[in-house]
Amino acid sequence: MAVRPGNHIDGAWEVGTGSGDDIAVHDSADGSLVESFRPAGADQLERAVAAARRAQPGWNAVPVRERAALLRRLADRLAAREDELAAVMSREVGSPLAFSRTVQVGLPVAVLRTTADAVEELALEEQVDNVTVVREPVGVVGAITPWNYPIYQVVAKLAPALAAGCAIVVKPSQVAPLSSVLMFEEIEAVGLPAGVADLLTGTGRGIGEALVAHPDVDMISFTGSTAAGARIAEAAAPGVKRVALELGGKSAAVLLDDADVARGVRATVGSCFLNGGQTCSALTRLVVPRSILAEVEAEIEAAVAEVVVGDPFAEGTVVGPMASAEQRSTINSYIALGVEEGARLLAGGVGDEPADGGYYVRPTVLTDVKSGMRVAQEEIFGPVLVVIPVDGTEEAVEVANDSEYGLSGAVWSGDRARAVDVARRIRTGQVAVNGGAFSARAPFGGVKKSGNGRELGKYGLEEYFELKAIRL
Ligand code: NAD
């Protein structure tokens, strides 16, 4: 694979001019070096933002249908390159290959298409009394993304920004920038005018902070940890920029006493261990009636026993390695902490350092967890499920809401109306009733410390517009 340098500025590929260490991409399965990039320098950030500023009005003048057509062409090209992109993300992130194909590539492809549909359906002008209300693009967007779903996270910002007529400067995660570099080859190939979408590779503290503070960037769209999101909001405040934040989560699945235990447990374990647990919306707390705890625990043990941990390229692997050595050690510390806090280890435990250097952990379930324990409050971002027994529906709702996060959730009950009632009482951005499926057209985002703003569909698109009222 002939890899480009990590920066794409004003229509050309450039080697980074920044100081500091190379941005190194490691193979999660053995720790070996896959690729490295020189980080972008301050001069390159200046040129990328200037190019975006210059290019944005021309891009906004391109008819919506043509902008949508370009997004669809990009979707087709990413789909055509599925094998290579999936393999790269399986190495960068450790995602099992089949999952990389269907989700790591499939989801951004779907989001490009649904966003193209959404912009064609959106009225860019409407009349209110004597006023024409016009939707105008926000301008130049800075996008900063995490490593867990590397292409999807970029596309969830790039697709609506481009659809709205904005220009965008993307800084992907330093842990997994390679897939974004490959995607930018396709962005170049679909004929996007120079400067409309630029890529800068580097760290958060380096080029990331400089992008946030840049006076010519109108909006920052950030996905990542709550700590970094809060810092970014502060750095953006002096410029009074629009800031959209998609942050962490500690989402609860609430099993009511009349639930189908087998379905509820299997879905929760599946969600918690999805992508090795490195999913912001993962259901990581299972809230269970104490009266059926033993039945639930037996079901969990059976479900976890079927989870195959191993090489992301091996067929049948459900949980691959974690994305980085740092991630692995954080997860192991949390497992040890949970036991210290008095939780009972139902499955898994602290993993041994594997001989092959891969970043593997053991999918783990802690039970008899109390809601105040740190393992029930803090985002672990690995395959660790905590089971919290409660007495009655009121306490279940209280525990579900006993979190500084509010990103996702689930409710299981034999009585759908009862489940919907509980779902409405959980303070969160989205909640699935009896396994209700995800839709790329529905809003995705959080409340409380899980962030603000929404991505996906027409809701995500709205974030990239300003409203102007022209009184006639
Ligand atoms: P992170 O916050 O460490 O980094 C995310 C991105 O922000 C990276 O590109 C990083 O370089 C950059 N960054 C960090 N500090 C910065 C700063 N001060 N200024 C500018 N940029 C900065 O997160 P991560 O470890 O890459 O990802 C995991 C986190 O992301 C988890 O907390 C997870 O829940 C969250 N996440 C949220 C969503 C969501 O949609 N809500 C989706 C995926 C991941």
Side-chain angles (χ1 to χ4, degrees), residues 336-418:
L337 172 69
V339 173
E340 260 170 57
E341 286 184 301
R344 179 162 50 88
L345 200 59
L346 186 65
V350 174
D352 298 327
E353 196 77 48
D356 64 5
Y359 311 139
Y360 292 96
V361 298
R362 295 175 68 193
T364 294
V365 182
L366 297 163
T367 188
D368 279 339
V369 170
K370 294 190 175 58
S371 189
M373 289 180 183
R374 281 182 58 197
V375 287
Q377 291 293 330
E378 297 176 19
E379 185 183 50
I380 298 173
F381 224 56
V384 181
L385 178 67
V386 301
V387 181
I388 309 175
V390 292
D391 297 302
T393 307
E394 286 311 305
E395 194 186 344
V397 172
E398 251 169 56
V399 166
N401 285 330
D402 180 23
S403 171
E404 59 179 23
Y405 295 111
L407 187 57
S408 191
V411 185
W412 292 85
S413 168
D415 177 346
R416 191 173 145 141
R418 187 179 173 216

Side-chain angles (χ1 to χ4, degrees), residues 41 92 106 119 166 177 186-187 191 217 239 262 268 288 313 322 350 354 368 413 432:
E92 281 185 326
V119 76
C166 296
E186 301 309 322
I187 289 174
V217 173
T268 307
V288 178
F313 288 90
M322 302 298 101
V350 174
D368 279 339
S413 168

Side-chain angles (χ1 to χ4, degrees), residues 49-418:
V49 173
R53 182 53 71 204
R54 268 196 313 275
Q56 190 270 327
W59 175 242
N60 187 42
V62 171
V64 164
R65 276 192 184 281
E66 283 177 38
R67 297 206 297 261
L70 185 136
L71 295 185
R72 292 192 181 99
R73 283 205 299 281
L74 180 58
D76 294 344
R77 290 194 67 100
L78 294 182
R81 212 170 162 182
E82 178 190 285
D83 285 352
E84 190 187 354
L85 291 170
V88 162
M89 287 187 277
S90 286
R91 297 181 82 189
E92 281 185 326
V93 184
S95 309
L97 189 60
F99 180 82
S100 288
R101 288 179 189 283
T102 53
V103 179
Q104 296 282 26
V105 181
L107 186 56
V109 166
V111 168
L112 283 160
R113 292 180 178 145
T114 51
T115 307
D117 295 345
V119 76
E120 285 179 337
E121 287 159 15
L122 189 73
L124 292 183
E125 288 196 15
E126 56 202 28
Q127 203 62 32
V128 178
D129 299 329
N130 59 318
V131 181
T132 303
V133 179
V134 182
R135 286 195 166 84
E136 294 186 339
V138 166
V140 173
V141 176
I144 300 180
T145 56
W147 44 262
N148 57 344
Y149 291 85
I151 289 190
Y152 164 73
Q153 303 291 5
V154 173
V155 165
K157 304 177 185 322
L158 178 127
L162 296 186
C166 296
I168 188 166
V169 178
V170 176
K171 192 212 81 68
S173 165
Q174 64 275 23
V175 176
L178 178 52
S179 46
S180 291
V181 171
L182 301 187
M183 178 166 68
F184 265 76
E185 291 183 349
E186 301 309 322
I187 289 174
E188 192 173 40
V190 293
L192 194 68
V196 174
D198 282 349
L199 175 73
L200 298 174
T201 299
T203 61
R205 290 292 169 106
I207 209 74
E209 287 196 357
L211 179 61
V212 174
H214 198 291
D216 250 352
V217 173
D218 302 295
M219 170 180 175
I220 293 294
S221 179
F222 171 76
T223 300
S225 61
T226 296
R231 217 181 135 87
I232 282 169
E234 264 181 47
V240 198
K241 292 174 204 277
R242 181 177 294 190
V243 180
L245 301 172
E246 299 285 347
L247 308 176
K250 188 77 183 177
S251 299
V254 175
L255 213 60
L256 297 178
D257 53 11
D258 59 352
D260 179 335
V261 170
R263 276 190 68 212
V265 163
R266 278 173 190 267
T268 307
V269 168
S271 161
C272 184
F273 294 174
L274 195 72
N275 202 27
Q278 304 165 120
T279 302
C280 51
S281 57
L283 300 167
T284 50
R285 296 183 292 147
L286 181 58
V287 182
V288 178
R290 202 179 303 277
S291 56
I292 58 165
L293 183 62
E295 186 193 346
V296 168
E297 287 180 353
E299 202 60 55
I300 290 173
E301 285 180 293
V304 176
E306 288 168 18
V307 173
V308 179
V309 181
D311 182 346
F313 288 90
E315 206 167 318
T317 294
V318 176
V319 171
M322 302 298 101
S324 65
E326 190 190 355
Q327 196 60 19
R328 176 181 192 278
S329 89
T330 306
I331 296 163
N332 275 334
S333 321
Y334 269 113
I335 297 171
L337 172 69
V339 173
E340 260 170 57
E341 286 184 301
R344 179 162 50 88
L345 200 59
L346 186 65
V350 174
D352 298 327
E353 196 77 48
D356 64 5
Y359 311 139
Y360 292 96
V361 298
R362 295 175 68 193
T364 294
V365 182
L366 297 163
T367 188
D368 279 339
V369 170
K370 294 190 175 58
S371 189
M373 289 180 183
R374 281 182 58 197
V375 287
Q377 291 293 330
E378 297 176 19
E379 185 183 50
I380 298 173
F381 224 56
V384 181
L385 178 67
V386 301
V387 181
I388 309 175
V390 292
D391 297 302
T393 307
E394 286 311 305
E395 194 186 344
V397 172
E398 251 169 56
V399 166
N401 285 330
D402 180 23
S403 171
E404 59 179 23
Y405 295 111
L407 187 57
S408 191
V411 185
W412 292 85
S413 168
D415 177 346
R416 191 173 145 141
R418 187 179 173 216

